[in-house]
Amino acid sequence: MTSATLPAVRRTVTVAAPADRAFRVFTESFHTWWPAEYHIGAAEMAEAVLEQRAAGRWYEKGVDGSECDWGRVLVWEPPHRLVLTWQINGQWQYDPDPAHASEIELTFTPDGDGQTRVELEHRLIERLAGGEGLREQLDGADGWNGVLAMYAKAAEAA
């Protein structure tokens, strides 16, 4: 791990859906829009799961029935705010030590005419082993930009 503070990755997307639907699609329908190729378990991913409560898990289920954690739900405030730990290090492996976790905060703000502004902040990336390289990937086109684009399409179609 690095001791230097790394800048947070921040992204904003506006979706053509009210805040309650935008939040539900992000959380309850997580498995419908999260890209299956973005998994860290040994088996191909059958489903991505985000438990609907504070202290819940977010994880993947493999096609072989295995489970691989990604982190925990720290804050559950539907339909406005969600905070998750990210316990996936720079080698794309789960790290069970919560002291090594980064955090992802999402806010869902009504933005007139049935739209919602969804803001994502992925912070404390320096806590992760290999955080510098991981930050570059999360900040790239195939990182949070691409993931939020897939989410936005799902929220608008719901």
Side-chain angles (χ1 to χ4, degrees):
M1 288 186 304
T2 180
S3 59
T5 300
L6 296 173
V9 174
R10 291 181 174 87
R11 294 289 177 270
T12 302
V13 63
T14 300
V15 297
D20 61 338
R21 186 170 82 204
F23 188 89
R24 277 195 325 271
V25 169
F26 195 96
T27 58
E28 294 174 21
S29 299
F30 186 63
H31 64 283
T32 67
W33 60 266
W34 186 268
E37 64 271 18
Y38 288 17
H39 73 94
I40 62 167
E44 292 296 315
M45 185 169 69
E47 182 179 19
V49 179
L50 195 154
E51 294 179 344
Q52 314 293 295
R53 59 185 170 80
R57 300 165 47 211
W58 69 308
Y59 61 99
E60 65 187 68
K61 289 183 180 179
V63 295
D64 63 357
S66 63
E67 294 184 355
C68 183
D69 282 351
W70 297 351
R72 296 287 180 268
V73 179
L74 295 178
V75 177
W76 178 258
E77 297 175 354
H80 302 292
R81 185 168 171 248
L82 175 69
V83 181
L84 308 165
T85 64
W86 172 279
Q87 292 177 241
I88 302 170
N89 64 28
Q91 293 74 45
W92 296 100
Q93 297 172 337
Y94 175 70
D95 184 339
D97 186 345
H100 297 168
S102 61
E103 293 179 358
I104 301 163
E105 180 170 1
L106 293 123
T107 56
F108 300 78
T109 307
D111 198 20
D113 295 330
Q115 296 189 111
T116 302
R117 187 177 66 252
V118 180
E119 296 177 88
L120 176 144
E121 180 186 54
H122 193 155
R123 59 185 176 242
L124 305 173
I125 299 169
E126 65 275 1
R127 291 180 176 177
L128 303 166
E132 288 181 26
L134 184 61
R135 188 200 177 281
E136 290 177 21
Q137 292 177 35
L138 295 169
D139 199 29
D142 292 332
W144 285 118
N145 284 329
V147 170
L148 286 179
M150 287 180 260
Y151 155 71
K153 287 180 187 176
E156 292 170 2

